[in-house]
Amino acid sequence: MGSIPMQRETEYRSSVTAPDRPGPPAVVRTSLPGNPLAPAAARRFVRAALADWTELGVSAAGGFTDRLADDSVLLVSELVTNAVVHAGTAVELLCRLDGAVPGESNEFLVIEVSDHHPSRAVRNEQGPPPSGTPEYGRGLQLVATLSESWGITYRTGTKTVWARLPIEGVQAVHEIESYASEQALQRGLRAAEILAPLPKRATHDTDWVNRGALTFLAEASDLLAGQFDEDLVAALAGQLLVPRLADWCAVWLHDTSEGVGRGTDGGQGARLARVWHTSEHRIEELRRVLEKEPPRLPDAAGSGAFPVPWPGEALAGDSSGTALAYRLAAGGRALGALVIGRAGLVRFPDEVTGLIEDFSRRVALAISTARRYQRQANISQVLQRGLLPSQVAQIPGVDSGVVYEPRDKGGPGGDFYDVFQAGEGRWCFALGDVQGKGPEAAVVIGLARPWLRLLAREGYQVAEVLDRLNQLLLDDATEAADAAAAVVAVAGGQGVPPDGPTSRFLSLLYGELVPYEGGVRCTIACAGHPLPLLLSPEGEVREAATPQMLLGVVDDETYTSVSFELRAGETLLCVTDGVTERRSGRLQFDDGDGLARALAGCAGLDAGLVAERIRRLVHEFSERPPDDDLALLVLQAR
């Protein structure tokens, strides 16, 4: 059916207008979601804006330099992290080019990050915050270091942090985006040099050190945000820290079922998820020693470093050193602990402890995100098992083939199918598509599928079943489904759905099969669904039903059905719009009767092979993965 597609990923490139005469500065803006992926999206947006301005030949683009690109990306990354990750709010990002003002020769790149929680103070303390205070990071420290000037503007309902960066170079940037990817390794090497053990570290000015460390944090954030398994987050944290910052690293994670709160680190429910050491042969012995006693961090430790005993028993040859533990917490909830150690040091340098504190916040946020994702995936899997039949009924004289591929693998889609026995000598089948996706669609499917079975087993004819199901989707019973959808959405961490009823429009292909000697009598009705196709043994294809209105749209709609004989060797193909509307550029799979031509090429194949061939052709139609649920049902008379 023509459901409204969910946007898979926000496109952060914006169109930019280049004024051909003095006038308003070029401006680009975007909105970023309130989740840990927003900083990476902001970095992509800034790089794209610089590249667009360069391509369009705005006057200021001649002054774009590598330094400006690097500084602007770092600045926006920390500001968005501060607003989204620490303040927990969506933000608006604006970039503009300001011309020179009287008395100045430079032009400026202005970056503004606005959020809608102006009551929240902008924090920049160096010491640990009081217990229970949200962690805000140190974005303003970076702003002051990189920008020519900066400030905070409060408006009704909005707080904006802005910064001006001078455009003063002469080297044109031809490909900012390619520059970013080419320089990633170099920046990583620079960060590694900065973060080397103190005796090996070269002497650098403070400005250079701060830039390298913040680059490391920005790139670490990208890597961590892309993981949706908490054990992979722990493994990645160890690889990022060792050997750059420490000789070894360990990550403990609390059991999510223990209900661990702030200040109760360690003890039962804590497991050692990952141990990493510069010498691989020491990892197992270090794990054995560390597992004996998880770190216990007092409330007074806050998010900062807390000294823990040096595990000398496991580190032969390194009898002394310094070990520090950091609480991993997000949303006021303790998730675990991060422990690092370095041999031969009396204490870690302050620059390193502060950097790891910021890094540990990012690890905690990535773990929290991974847990929310896994919780939603578990709920989705439970829903999915309840929405689809445990098995497809075997119909005498009929072979069947089924393909079901939800767009979100493992999660509930808007498509469903069913094949069941409705009574003595009667079998029914259904293929449906609910507008929308996720829990709301799942609730509608959970309502429709049992009613289909109940009405069929009560002896209602095909058209009568659709009449009654249509009325069910329109009456007050659906309000209960709306309320249930809201509960499911909140339990899955999605928040309360927008005000108003959930999607209840349903396209449905529903039919009844009555086998008899020499064939099968088929009665079918199609409500707003792609029409079923009938394939003869000779390869001829024709439509097997007539189109009718979607279910759940018009009250008192009267549906009709058609009947025909499904003879030996004939194949009935039923699909959802994930097949017919599969796109490749501007073309759809069913353009020019594409589905009929694909089915005609399946003459002579059994039901299972027909289903698999259509599935393969749909996937091969475009290089991009399918952006909608895909379901098809094949019934073939023997």
Side-chain angles (χ1 to χ4, degrees), residues 61-76:
F64 290 173
T65 62
D66 293 353
R67 174 69 170 267
L68 176 68
D70 202 16
D71 286 356
S72 60
V73 166
L74 286 174
L75 189 149
V76 77

Side-chain angles (χ1 to χ4, degrees), residues 170-522:
V170 295
Q171 173 190 0
V173 178
H174 299 291
E175 289 293 341
I176 293 294
E177 286 181 308
S178 62
Y179 154 78
S181 59
E182 292 170 1
Q183 293 298 314
L185 177 59
Q186 293 301 320
R187 292 202 305 267
L189 294 175
R190 184 174 65 174
E193 182 183 355
I194 296 169
L195 302 174
L198 190 59
K200 300 179 183 179
R201 190 186 308 155
T203 301
H204 301 288
D205 62 275
T206 302
D207 179 68
W208 196 91
V209 170
N210 286 338
R211 291 174 191 277
L214 290 165
T215 301
F216 166 77
L217 285 175
E219 293 175 354
S221 296
D222 274 348
L223 292 172
L224 293 169
Q227 306 301 324
F228 296 105
D229 181 290
E230 62 180 64
D231 289 320
L232 291 178
V233 172
L236 185 57
Q239 295 178 54
L240 287 168
L241 292 177
V242 178
R244 287 171 174 156
L245 286 163
D247 296 329
W248 58 268
C249 170
V251 178
W252 273 266
L253 295 177
H254 293 313
D255 186 343
T256 55
S257 65
E258 293 295 321
V260 179
R262 190 178 180 93
T264 57
D265 302 278
Q268 294 183 351
R271 64 182 179 89
L272 187 53
R274 184 68 178 181
V275 176
W276 198 261
H277 197 286
T278 53
S279 300
E280 187 175 342
H281 68 276
R282 292 185 174 183
I283 292 177
E284 289 306 317
E285 180 62 18
L286 181 60
R287 173 183 288 275
R288 184 186 64 79
V289 172
L290 294 177
E291 279 181 330
K292 295 178 180 178
E293 186 62 34
R296 296 179 179 273
L297 306 181
D299 288 340
S303 63
F306 185 79
V308 293
W310 179 258
E313 177 185 346
L315 303 174
D318 295 331
S319 57
S320 65
T322 299
L324 298 176
Y326 294 81
R327 174 182 284 111
L328 298 176
R333 188 178 184 83
L335 304 175
L338 171 70
V339 180
I340 62 168
R342 185 186 291 174
L345 287 184
V346 176
R347 62 186 296 272
F348 274 90
D350 291 341
E351 295 84 355
V352 172
T353 58
L355 181 61
I356 299 180
E357 182 179 346
D358 274 353
F359 177 79
S360 66
R361 292 181 183 130
R362 287 157 170 78
V363 173
L365 289 162
I367 292 171
S368 179
T369 299
R371 289 187 171 181
R372 288 197 301 269
Y373 176 87
Q374 188 59 53
R375 182 167 59 249
Q376 176 60 34
N378 292 340
I379 293 173
S380 296
Q381 290 171 5
V382 171
L383 285 173
Q384 193 66 72
R385 287 195 295 268
L387 297 177
L388 298 176
S390 57
Q391 61 182 4
V392 175
Q394 300 298 312
I395 306 173
V398 178
D399 294 327
S400 62
V402 175
V403 170
Y404 179 78
E405 295 180 354
R407 172 185 158 185
D408 297 323
K409 302 301 182 182
D415 293 1
F416 71 96
Y417 67 91
D418 202 0
V419 180
F420 59 93
Q421 187 170 6
E424 186 66 29
R426 296 171 53 241
W427 281 261
C428 292
F429 62 92
L431 190 65
D433 184 0
V434 179
Q435 178 179 317
K437 300 290 184 288
E440 294 87 349
V443 171
V444 176
I445 295 173
L447 183 70
R449 187 167 158 262
W451 272 100
L452 279 174
R453 288 193 170 210
L454 177 62
L455 292 170
R457 287 167 178 166
E458 287 294 317
Y460 288 98
Q461 300 302 307
V462 170
E464 294 175 324
V465 169
L466 266 60
D467 289 341
R468 284 158 176 78
L469 184 57
N470 179 62
Q471 192 60 45
L472 175 67
L473 293 173
L474 287 164
D475 67 18
D476 293 339
T478 314
E479 292 182 3
D482 294 338
V487 172
V488 171
V490 172
Q494 297 180 351
V496 178
D499 292 338
T502 59
S503 300
R504 63 187 67 173
F505 299 153
L506 171 65
S507 77
L508 182 67
L509 187 62
Y510 174 70
E512 179 183 276
L513 298 173
V514 179
Y516 65 92
E517 188 68 28
V520 178
R521 180 73 174 173
C522 180

Side-chain angles (χ1 to χ4, degrees), residues 8 582-585 618-627:
R8 297 181 61 197
R582 168 80 159 129
R583 300 192 70 87
S584 177
V618 171
H619 277 270
E620 292 176 351
F621 185 69
S622 173
E623 295 181 356
R624 297 172 62 91
D627 58 1

